[in-house]
Amino acid sequence: MKIPLSWLNEFIEITETPEQLREVFDDLGLVVEGVELTGQDIDAVLVAKVLEIHPIEGADRIRRVIIEAGEGPLEIVCGAMNFEVGNHVPFAPIGAVLPGNFEIAKRVMKGITSNGMLCSARELRISEDHGGLYILDELITPVIGQRLVDALGIVPDVIFDISVEGNRPDAWSIEGVARDLGARLSRSIKSPALATPNGAPTKDVAKASITATGECGRLTVSIIENVFVTSSPTIIQQRLINAGMRPISNIVDASNFVMLELGQPNHPYDAAKVSGKSLGVRHAVSGETVVTLDGVERPLAKAGRGLGDSGVDVVIVDGADKILGLAGIMGGDESGVSDTTTEILFEAAFFDPMTIARTSKRHGLRSEASARFERGVDPELALRATARFVEILKLSCPNLVWRSEPLDVRGELPAVPVIELTEGDVERLLGVKIDAAEVARLLRAINFTVTESATGFQVSPSTARLDVRSGAAGRADVIEEIARLYSYLRLPRRVPTWAEPGGLTKVQKLRRHLRDVVVDLGACEAWTPTLGSDADFELLDNSERVRVTNPLASEESVLRNTLITGLVRAWARNLERGTGDLILSELGNIFLHPSVASRPRPTKGGVAGSVTLSLPEERERMTVVLGRIDDDATTAVAFAKTLFNRLGLADVVLRTPTLVPLGVHPTRVAEAIDRISGASLGFVGEVNPNLLLALGIPEGRRLGLIDLDFDAVADESKATRVSSEVTVPSRFPSAMIDLAFVAPDSLHADDLRHSLYEASDKVENVELFDVYRGAALGDGVRSLAYAIRLTSQEGTLSESDLANLRSQLIEVGAALGAQLRAQ
Amino acid sequence: MSDTSPLANLDQQRDDLIRQIAEIADFATLREQEPLLIGKRSILTTLQRTLGQLPESERKEAGALLQNARRLVEERFAERFTQLENLERAAQLEADRLDLGDVIASAVRVPISVGHPNLVASTQRELEDVFVGMGFSVADGPEVESDWYNFEALNIPPAHPARGMWDTFYVDLGEPETVVLRTHTSPTQIHLMEAAVKTGEPRIHAVMPGRCFRRDTPDARHLAAFHQIEGLVVDRGITFADLAGVIETFTRAYFGPEISSRLRPAFFPFTEPSAEFEITCTICQGQGCRTCSQTGWIELGGCGMLDPAVLEAVGIDGREWSGFAFGFGIDRCAQMRHQIADMRALIENDARFLRQFS
């Protein structure tokens, strides 16, 4: 909402500087998004008439123009193309200093002397229009040589661009903003001049009715006769321009003027085009359509996509039940005022905010009116706004007649709540005691009714504040008003304390630890998109996917079910840039469609949370892509084993998976299984070369891959932790023996290692150090050589102890089908 | 058609080709034979050239016959091609087989790489740590939510104009617009309060970080996915003064003792009174610069006292309990601290960017 200081001054005396005022606005919650100065530094600009226009040889973007500004013809070089001979335009003579400290000097272009400059509206900071010169003929009756500020009635002004919050329908008007300032600055508010009806009774000629009483709380209809269409006085035009609206004609301008000034959207009809001079408000019925002012034909009363939207549309109809417009949003294209209008039927009404919000959303149609109605217009404003409209219109049509007793029909209006405010309420919410007299003063200043009661106050909000609710919520609303007007900056601060210590959960600590370890092992942590394309999804999977209904682009329409694709893509882009020698990791959520998820998430949904919905299963994964030169499945295994170790996992074994997971090389993959729980923790291996091919990655590169199910890793019943009890190493010397077994391929090297370790409490450590395959051994077997460290807590192991242990270990191997390899 | 027609043996020639295709057992041979089977050197191509010799009257029919035969052969070829290509790839993958159980991890020689934590993640951690130090716990929540948790329980009923504050991505599940990608971390508040209310003592002091989504075309200042941290305190006797105190303590702890905070009125449907909180501009230390539009202050987030309607939605008795909530952008904190000119750098995963954080 643009608030010109000069307009504000009509309601309240402002003595503050613009900088001071800006701070007051901000502190009132009327946040100033910009301050614009207008009409400054243009005193020297004159009205000039264009006498001649000539092309300049060798230049197609500038022309030679002869103008008259009162002191004889002058030659000007001008780059604008939007004017013709006879037009009146602003002229800045040599020596003038325009806004932005731009001094006009004599210039010579293509051998032609330019004796000044013809100006656009933006160059003069009159409006944003920079489409060419500011043509004055449509706005005023120009007088050659007159100062532009006098011709247009421009006074230097400061325009505050204020962002109006959703709970401040009242602040969407000059008067409402003035009222807030008045409360804060303890200054009185002036009432604007209002017309009084002076004609015969309205009911003699016009009719008004409401059948949609739930949606239309009030309909007022006035008849204004003896009007004609002309342009508005300069002061009105200037106000509208400064407030960001384009002047059109006296009637339309007056209509916009009262909306901006008082906040009442309204509609002036050409009374001759409204059958029976009758307005009715009713529900639209299915099958009806309306052509709105923007020329679009809109089907009415059709249920919308919005949650709980049954499709209620309210329309304005005339005496012949013809639809004139969509109530509170936009008029139709036939009944508006035109050049021939001599009598106005003026509508000012109140519509239910939620109805307007739904209709506006469903039709994708927003207007200045709907924006105000959906936040809540003061239901008591209609006739006062009409009186102001007539008063403004009188400036151009002094002989108009406003028929007396305007029609005023009521439907259901929102009840004005009465809120109990006991003495302690303010302090309980704000943490500070505010003097009761001050509370009453602040609330009364914004037209709230405050009456004293036995326990404190009874407060009723002004009718302009439909955002104020009843009961406990209303009390909070009222206290917010008190705090706002009192100033948030004056409220105290206190640091609360409580008994419970802060901290992270075990899972949160593990999450941090996991990230740290992965980074310690050399990974750069990435953040890849949650939303991908169907094509990307289908590279790996064809199952049901979770889709976004309204994506920004089709490439961002499907929720990922793996982190692999995103990371490989990110790596590939680095490869193209020559920075592909890199490990990338990410810890993030993947999404499984409820129809394919093993544990879809039930949740409350629907209107008022009345139904149970099945939402996608969200699983957290830690995925690492090893893309350094020479990285492959073996480096991934080394990485993963170190990782499991650092995570304190007791016993994770890498086994060939029964089902190859998405995106993984099918023959270079192992599943990380917790040996104790049997649970799967994820996969280790290489990225599937088919995926690399599909993503256009040059052949010959292998990408190591670790893809862990964080939820499983975090679950201690699945991922067994090492015991917190540690072993103090034996103080006696240990002995090393090497044993090589010929083991069938079906025997996992790690299972054999595990059995050897478990064989005796004298076994301190078992480590695989060699794997050998060869024709001499035969097919389907390989040699697995382990270095075994033996020790005892009781004493030094003797030769015979060692011999016994050795045979014991060989027997353990044999029991698993692994024979000691012949030396 | 006469016996002398060049197409007299077409059926047989066609079947020969089909048989030949079926008999080829490896992908390389099939590719090698392609010109002979369906390409330039195929009998079908030779026959095609003879059509010109036919009288005008027969040419059309003969052409159609030949076309039919070619189509059949080509179909078989394509089928076989895919079949053998898949076999070939499978064989390649099989030849690539490696038993990872036999990998001797200690023998794998890998270069030392220097890893780098993600900026957003470490910013989140630092923020969490500040709040943990102030006595807060940390709670997580899902990224896909129902309309109820993301909006309605937060006092934003369907079609309410306040919804315009969030450009929402809807998820294609259930009735239209019932499931969303969460537009803020606030739904986690509702989950926390619902859980706490069951204990009968709904005391909550928690922050909730997480990824959120808004249907905003990415530019230098916005990403469609972003990270927020939200705080929630519910207890007996909590007031707006406590909120202002927590915000101020946090501001100094995270941004430094020379940075302070202030609150100004704002509107959020789930808090009342609501405030926007601003901090001393970190660029100019409050002196006034372009970043803060000469005001010396920059907006960081929103906050306020829990709206009675929200307490009611989760079943907390507002006469006994009160609370506040606040929220702000994690990415924005990172952007401010590191003066990142274009937020899109955060999602580009360019190693040259990632490696600047330690």
Side-chain angles (χ1 to χ4, degrees):
Chain A
M1 172 93 197
K2 287 191 168 184
I3 308 286
L5 186 58
S6 63
W7 203 342
L8 200 55
N9 258 316
E10 301 276 320
F11 287 87
I12 180 170
E13 193 191 339
I14 303 285
T15 51
E16 286 71 14
T17 64
E19 292 72 31
Q20 288 168 333
L21 200 55
R22 178 184 191 143
E23 282 181 17
V24 176
F25 277 138
D26 279 349
D27 190 37
L28 282 167
L30 304 169
V31 177
V32 177
E33 298 199 315
V35 181
E36 194 186 329
L37 301 177
T38 177
Q40 322 268 342
D41 304 327
I42 58 169
D43 287 4
V45 178
L46 305 174
V47 175
K49 183 177 180 180
V50 178
L51 302 178
E52 298 168 30
I53 305 175
H54 303 284
I56 299 174
E57 202 164 313
D60 51 5
R61 298 208 173 164
I62 48 175
R63 294 185 293 181
R64 187 166 71 91
V65 183
I66 309 293
I67 58 139
E68 169 63 63
E71 299 194 337
L74 279 174
E75 193 174 52
I76 309 282
V77 177
C78 180
M81 297 289 165
N82 69 321
F83 60 100
E84 47 199 62
V85 170
N87 280 159
H88 291 77
V89 294
F91 164 64
I94 287 161
V97 182
L98 293 188
N101 208 18
F102 175 41
E103 188 175 346
I104 307 298
K106 187 177 281 194
R107 292 176 68 192
V108 180
M109 281 174 275
K110 296 269 169 193
I112 298 159
T113 304
S114 188
N115 298 292
M117 187 177 90
L118 306 181
C119 310
S120 74
R122 196 169 79 185
E123 281 158 346
L124 302 173
R125 305 265 164 95
I126 288 174
S127 81
E128 282 303 294
D129 188 5
H130 197 52
L133 300 186
Y134 188 37
I135 310 288
L136 303 171
D137 303 76
E138 297 163 13
L139 302 170
I140 50 171
T141 311
V143 178
I144 290 172
Q146 196 183 11
R147 293 202 316 160
L148 185 73
V149 287
D150 299 331
L152 291 176
I154 293 176
V155 279
D157 209 347
V158 184
I159 300 162
F160 295 91
D161 193 357
I162 283 177
S163 148
V164 179
E165 298 279 14
N167 64 336
R168 296 298 311 283
D170 63 306
W172 216 326
S173 67
I174 307 285
E175 190 183 41
V177 168
R179 197 179 296 120
D180 250 27
L181 283 178
R184 166 58 66 82
L185 303 171
S186 303
R187 251 169 246 169
S188 58
I189 301 296
K190 285 170 262 180
S191 193
L194 302 175
T196 41
N198 56 348
T202 314
K203 66 176 189 307
D204 296 353
V205 293
K207 284 197 202 71
S209 65
I210 304 174
T211 52
T213 51
E215 291 79 13
C216 178
R218 190 176 184 197
L219 172 67
T220 70
V221 171
S222 288
I223 298 288
I224 302 146
E225 295 155 343
N226 212 13
V227 299
F228 57 93
V229 174
T230 176
S231 57
S232 293
T234 316
I235 173 85
I236 301 298
Q237 293 196 23
Q238 191 62 43
R239 288 265 153 90
L240 291 176
I241 289 171
N242 285 355
M245 276 193 139
R246 201 165 53 91
I248 293 166
S249 71
N250 57 338
I251 299 172
V252 176
D253 292 353
S255 160
N256 287 331
F257 189 95
V258 292
M259 178 176 72
L260 294 173
E261 189 179 70
L262 304 180
Q264 173 71 57
N266 58 77
H267 195 75
Y269 298 86
D270 184 334
K273 296 178 191 163
V274 177
S275 170
K277 294 185 187 174
S278 161
L279 288 190
V281 183
R282 67 158 170 87
H283 292 125
V285 294
S286 181
E288 284 185 313
T289 63
V290 62
V291 179
T292 40
L293 268 178
D294 51 6
V296 179
E297 179 169 9
R298 299 170 187 276
L300 298 172
K302 272 177 66 178
R305 274 185 65 84
L307 193 53
D309 180 2
S310 58
V312 174
D313 282 324
V314 176
V315 290
I316 308 282
V317 293
D318 66 9
D321 202 35
K322 192 178 107 178
I323 296 177
L324 301 181
L326 212 42
I329 300 177
M330 201 176 268
D333 59 353
E334 287 169 25
S335 52
V337 293
S338 69
D339 289 351
T340 57
T341 301
T342 57
E343 183 182 339
I344 299 168
L345 187 152
F346 187 81
E347 168 209 325
F350 170 81
F351 299 104
D352 169 54
M354 284 306 290
T355 305
I356 299 297
R358 277 205 191 281
T359 298
S360 164
K361 181 182 177 225
R362 183 166 355 98
H363 292 284
L365 189 59
R366 291 182 60 78
S367 62
E368 290 274 343
S370 73
R372 285 175 170 80
F373 278 126
E374 69 180 21
R375 281 169 175 79
V377 167
D378 182 352
E380 298 306 321
L381 186 58
L383 287 180
R384 187 161 164 264
T386 306
R388 183 64 177 151
F389 169 82
V390 176
E391 182 70 16
I392 298 298
L393 194 55
K394 265 187 179 171
L395 298 174
S396 51
C397 303
N399 299 322
L400 62 77
V401 175
W402 177 18
R403 278 183 172 263
S404 60
E405 297 163 44
L407 307 181
D408 186 355
V409 193
R410 298 211 176 208
E412 292 161 28
L413 283 174
V416 177
V418 178
I419 294 146
E420 300 286 343
L421 194 65
T422 64
E423 219 165 286
D425 283 339
V426 173
E427 190 177 358
R428 247 194 308 283
L429 195 58
L430 300 181
V432 63
K433 198 169 165 58
I434 300 178
D435 180 56
E438 176 72 351
V439 166
R441 184 191 73 79
L442 292 172
L443 291 176
R444 285 179 183 134
I446 53 169
N447 290 348
F448 282 30
T449 309
V450 181
T451 50
E452 280 171 38
S453 71
T455 51
F457 291 125
Q458 283 193 330
V459 180
S460 282
S462 89
T463 50
R465 294 301 302 270
L466 295 181
D467 58 291
V468 177
R469 298 161 288 175
S470 60
R475 196 171 304 123
D477 293 336
V478 169
I479 295 173
E480 180 179 68
E481 288 307 296
I482 297 166
R484 195 172 67 76
L485 299 171
Y486 178 82
S487 174
Y488 278 19
L489 299 179
R490 290 167 66 195
L491 296 176
R493 293 171 176 179
R494 176 181 83 172
V495 181
T497 54
W498 45 79
E500 297 86 346
L504 299 176
T505 62
K506 261 188 171 176
V507 171
Q508 287 162 347
K509 285 180 188 159
L510 178 72
R511 192 182 280 130
R512 286 187 174 193
H513 185 48
L514 173 59
R515 302 179 97 121
D516 286 345
V517 173
V518 168
V519 169
D520 288 350
L521 291 173
C524 287
E525 258 191 298
W527 165 16
T528 70
T530 303
L531 290 167
S533 65
D534 266 307
D536 263 11
F537 190 93
E538 284 162 9
L539 287 175
L540 302 182
D541 194 0
N542 228 330
S543 69
E544 199 72 60
R545 63 212 71 173
V546 187
R547 213 183 275 283
V548 166
T549 316
N550 55 339
L552 281 167
S554 63
E555 296 78 48
E556 297 160 11
S557 59
V558 178
L559 289 174
R560 64 184 174 188
N561 66 345
T562 175
L563 303 183
I564 298 173
T565 315
L567 282 171
V568 172
R569 267 197 192 287
W571 175 79
R573 274 194 298 274
N574 276 298
L575 184 70
E576 282 165 22
R577 281 190 291 255
T579 52
D581 190 20
L582 166 86
I583 305 174
L584 284 176
S585 70
E586 182 172 10
L587 179 65
N589 278 354
I590 61 163
F591 302 82
L592 307 175
H593 193 279
S595 67
V596 295
S598 52
R599 274 167 304 172
R601 189 163 62 87
T603 197
K604 262 196 282 191
V607 176
S610 53
V611 298
T612 300
L613 290 175
S614 186
L615 293 192
E617 180 175 356
E618 294 182 24
R619 298 194 67 84
E620 206 171 350
R621 292 196 86 88
M622 166 56 92
T623 305
V624 184
V625 165
L626 295 96
R628 295 167 303 185
I629 293 157
D630 297 337
D631 267 332
D632 62 4
T634 57
T635 52
V637 168
F639 191 108
K641 287 193 167 171
T642 316
L643 180 58
F644 297 144
N645 196 310
R646 287 287 316 277
L647 291 178
L649 301 184
D651 196 350
V652 181
V653 53
L654 296 178
R655 294 189 193 284
T656 306
T658 42
L659 252 174
V660 176
L662 304 179
V664 186
H665 191 310
T667 58
R668 294 169 85 90
V669 56
E671 188 164 15
I673 305 281
D674 185 287
R675 191 196 303 275
I676 297 152
S677 72
S680 170
L681 306 181
F683 296 92
V684 180
E686 263 168 42
V687 175
N688 193 323
N690 290 340
L691 177 63
L692 300 185
L693 201 68
L695 294 179
I697 291 161
E699 276 188 75
R701 278 306 279 254
R702 291 183 186 275
L703 286 183
L705 175 73
I706 296 141
D707 187 17
L708 297 183
D709 179 347
F710 178 74
D711 300 296
V713 173
D715 181 345
E716 294 189 10
S717 72
K718 286 184 175 158
T720 315
R721 305 300 198 263
V722 287
S723 160
S724 58
E725 191 184 321
V726 296
T727 310
V728 174
S730 169
R731 288 180 291 112
F732 300 102
S734 49
M736 297 293 300
I737 57 171
D738 291 349
L739 290 178
F741 294 91
V742 177
D745 286 347
S746 58
L747 177 59
H748 197 288
D750 205 55
D751 286 341
L752 181 51
R753 185 199 64 80
H754 183 76
S755 298
L756 294 171
Y757 178 75
E758 295 284 315
S760 159
D761 62 357
K762 306 285 187 294
V763 178
E764 196 181 41
N765 187 43
V766 181
E767 201 161 311
L768 182 68
F769 72 90
D770 186 46
V771 179
Y772 170 75
R773 281 176 194 277
L777 295 176
D779 276 348
V781 296
R782 80 282 197 215
S783 159
L784 301 171
Y786 296 90
I788 303 167
R789 183 200 296 272
L790 301 168
T791 190
S792 164
Q793 294 285 357
E794 284 95 42
T796 308
L797 292 170
S798 67
E799 284 300 321
S800 67
D801 290 338
L802 290 176
N804 284 340
L805 281 167
R806 188 170 188 276
S807 10
Q808 209 181 326
L809 291 166
I810 292 169
E811 272 169 42
V812 165
L816 292 169
Q819 306 303 326
L820 189 68
R821 189 174 163 197
Q823 296 300 309
Chain B
M1 197 172 298
S2 69
D3 290 348
T4 58
S5 157
L7 301 188
N9 298 320
L10 181 62
D11 285 359
Q12 200 195 326
Q13 285 160 332
R14 178 196 67 200
D15 291 346
D16 276 353
L17 284 172
I18 289 175
R19 200 190 60 246
Q20 282 177 49
I21 289 169
E23 281 168 359
I24 294 174
D26 69 293
F27 188 52
T29 313
L30 186 72
R31 286 214 332 207
E32 199 181 285
Q33 300 280 316
E34 180 173 348
L36 207 63
L37 297 167
I38 56 168
K40 279 185 192 154
R41 285 156 54 214
S42 163
I43 179 75
L44 297 172
T45 311
T46 314
L47 292 174
Q48 186 78 32
R49 291 201 195 100
T50 64
L51 289 184
Q53 302 159 13
L54 288 178
E56 185 82 33
S57 57
E58 292 175 26
R59 211 181 290 162
K60 197 173 168 192
E61 191 194 344
L65 280 172
L66 189 57
Q67 236 6 76
N68 252 334
R70 178 176 277 279
R71 190 176 43 78
L72 270 173
V73 174
E74 281 179 351
E75 272 173 19
R76 293 302 170 82
F77 183 87
E79 276 167 27
R80 190 71 182 150
F81 191 92
T82 316
Q83 219 172 22
L84 290 180
E85 189 183 26
N86 287 343
L87 281 174
E88 166 94 359
R89 286 214 67 82
Q92 277 173 6
L93 290 174
E94 194 49 49
D96 215 15
R97 180 176 287 281
L98 182 66
D99 187 344
L100 299 188
D102 283 359
V103 171
I104 303 161
S106 58
V108 177
R109 294 285 165 255
V110 287
I112 289 177
S113 298
V114 182
H116 297 271
N118 189 271
L119 173 63
V120 172
S122 34
T123 306
Q124 177 176 327
R125 183 182 298 198
E126 200 180 336
L127 292 167
E128 286 171 2
D129 287 345
V130 169
F131 286 110
V132 164
M134 292 167 69
F136 285 79
S137 57
V138 179
D140 309 300
E143 293 174 21
V144 176
E145 287 281 10
S146 70
D147 181 272
W148 165 259
Y149 283 99
N150 195 74
F151 289 124
E152 204 174 344
L154 290 159
N155 193 32
I156 317 165
H160 194 279
R163 290 202 179 194
M165 292 164 79
W166 299 273
D167 292 314
T168 310
F169 279 121
Y170 292 99
V171 175
D172 237 347
L173 284 172
E175 295 292 306
E177 303 190 0
T178 51
V179 181
V180 305
L181 293 184
R182 66 172 172 189
T183 59
H184 45 193
T185 40
S186 309
T188 311
Q189 281 186 30
I190 303 295
H191 291 296
L192 274 189
M193 287 192 278
E194 280 183 341
V197 99
K198 287 182 191 143
T199 68
E201 270 290 288
R203 293 158 50 79
I204 303 168
H205 322 97
V207 289
M208 294 143 270
R211 186 169 299 171
C212 309
F213 302 84
R214 284 192 198 164
R215 201 173 174 282
D216 235 349
T217 308
D219 60 25
R221 297 183 54 214
H222 303 93
L223 297 174
F226 61 98
H227 301 85
Q228 235 184 19
I229 187 164
E230 180 116 354
L232 174 69
V233 169
V234 180
D235 213 323
R236 291 190 178 86
I238 294 292
T239 70
F240 197 83
D242 296 314
L243 166 61
V246 163
I247 297 282
E248 178 67 10
T249 307
F250 158 74
T251 302
R252 289 177 184 276
Y254 181 77
F255 291 100
E258 69 285 1
I259 303 295
S260 64
S261 65
R262 70 173 189 185
L263 303 183
R264 59 168 173 71
F267 169 66
F268 303 105
F270 30 89
T271 50
E272 192 83 13
S274 302
E276 197 79 63
F277 69 93
E278 297 177 316
I279 61 166
T280 316
C281 178
T282 52
I283 306 289
C284 63
Q285 314 292 321
Q287 299 305 301
C289 66
R290 275 186 53 191
T291 305
C292 59
S293 313
Q294 308 302 332
T295 61
W297 296 92
I298 40 178
E299 204 177 292
L300 192 64
C303 60
M305 300 302 292
L306 292 181
D307 195 289
V310 174
L311 293 174
E312 196 188 322
V314 295
I316 291 181
D317 183 351
R319 285 167 305 184
E320 189 178 354
W321 306 93
S322 59
F324 62 78
F326 58 86
F328 55 92
I330 296 173
D331 313 334
R332 187 158 158 65
C333 287
Q335 183 195 24
M336 275 162 49
R337 179 167 289 182
H338 297 279
Q339 290 166 40
I340 298 168
D342 190 333
M343 295 283 265
R344 285 169 291 197
L346 295 177
I347 49 171
E348 273 158 14
N349 301 310
D350 186 327
R352 295 168 300 173
F353 183 75
L354 299 179
R355 286 185 172 138
Q356 293 179 56
F357 304 100
S358 50

